Amino acid sequence: MIEGRPELIAAIRPLLEARNAVGQQVSELDRKVMKLARHDAQVRRFMTMPGIGPITALAFKATIDDPARFARSRSVGAYVGLTSRRHASGELDWSGRISKCGDAMLRSYLFEAAGVLLTRVPKWSAVKAWGVRLVKRNGLRKAKVAVARKLAVILHRMWIDGTEFNWSKKEIAA
C-alpha cells in the first residue's frame, strides 16, 4: 500500500532515520554507563542488591558522594526525601506524603528499584519479604516508598562497611 505512494515514503523516511539515530545514541550511552559501572568496585557492590542496576548505583554514588557525611544510615532516607512530611500547628499534627527534599532523580530511581524488587525479582530476601508484607497492609505505592527508603539505608550501610548485599538474615547472624 505504501509502495505506490512515493510522497508518503518521502515523508516517513526522515522520521525513520531520526529514530535509528536516536536508537544508536541510546545504545552508545548505555555502553558508556555499563563501562563506568564495571570499572567502579563500589558501584558493582551496590548492584549486588536486587533491583539496583548500573544507573541507580551510579546515581546513588554521585548524589551521596561521601558516606561519612551521615552519622547514621537512617539519615540517608531523609536526605533523599523519602520521609513523611509533617505539619504541626497548635492542635493539628498530621504526617502526609513524602517530603520530596533532596535529589528528585535519585528518589525516582530508588522508587523504581523498589518496584522492581517487589514485582520482578523472583528470589526472596528479607527486604522483599518485608516489602510484600507492607503491600498487603498499606498498598503497593506506599510500600514502594518505604522499600525505596530502606534501599537507600542499606546501600549507605553497604558503602560504609564495604560489604555486598546479604540475601538472608542467617548470613548476618553467622
Side-chain angles (χ1 to χ4, degrees):
M1 184 165 217
I2 294 178
E3 295 168 358
R5 308 218 19 215
E7 67 278 354
L8 187 60
I9 293 172
I12 292 176
R13 181 166 288 137
L15 293 173
L16 292 175
E17 290 171 0
R19 180 181 174 264
N20 289 337
V22 168
Q24 288 174 350
Q25 288 177 347
V26 166
S27 63
E28 256 181 61
L29 291 173
D30 193 39
R31 276 194 300 277
K32 287 180 182 179
V33 165
M34 290 302 291
K35 184 177 179 181
L36 280 171
R38 204 174 306 122
H39 292 301
D40 191 334
Q42 186 57 49
V43 171
R44 284 196 316 266
R45 260 187 243 118
F46 289 156
M47 289 170 50
T48 62
M49 175 174 264
I52 302 294
I55 294 174
T56 305
L58 286 168
F60 186 82
K61 185 171 182 191
T63 301
I64 301 303
D65 190 38
D66 180 19
R69 291 189 310 163
F70 302 97
R72 295 183 306 199
S73 295
R74 267 193 296 185
S75 304
V76 176
Y79 178 76
V80 176
L82 291 169
T83 57
S84 58
R85 186 174 61 199
R86 296 192 62 84
H87 173 73
S89 171
E91 295 179 8
L92 289 176
D93 187 17
W94 58 267
S95 59
R97 298 186 171 148
I98 60 171
S99 65
K100 294 186 181 178
C101 300
D103 190 45
M105 184 176 66
L106 178 60
R107 188 172 49 253
S108 66
Y109 286 157
L110 288 171
F111 184 79
E112 288 297 320
V116 168
L117 174 65
L118 291 174
T119 59
R120 302 274 186 223
V121 175
K123 190 173 179 182
W124 282 86
S125 65
V127 178
K128 182 174 179 167
W130 176 76
V132 168
R133 286 193 305 272
L134 282 178
V135 169
K136 290 178 183 174
R137 191 171 63 226
N138 297 333
L140 183 62
R141 293 179 88 189
K142 288 184 180 181
K144 281 171 138 180
V145 171
V147 171
R149 178 181 164 88
K150 188 169 277 280
L151 290 179
V153 170
I154 293 172
L155 286 173
H156 181 262
R157 183 49 39 197
M158 287 168 53
W159 196 351
I160 293 288
D161 296 342
T163 58
E164 292 186 358
F165 180 72
N166 287 326
W167 282 89
S168 68
K169 290 186 177 183
K170 291 178 184 175
E171 292 177 22
I172 296 170

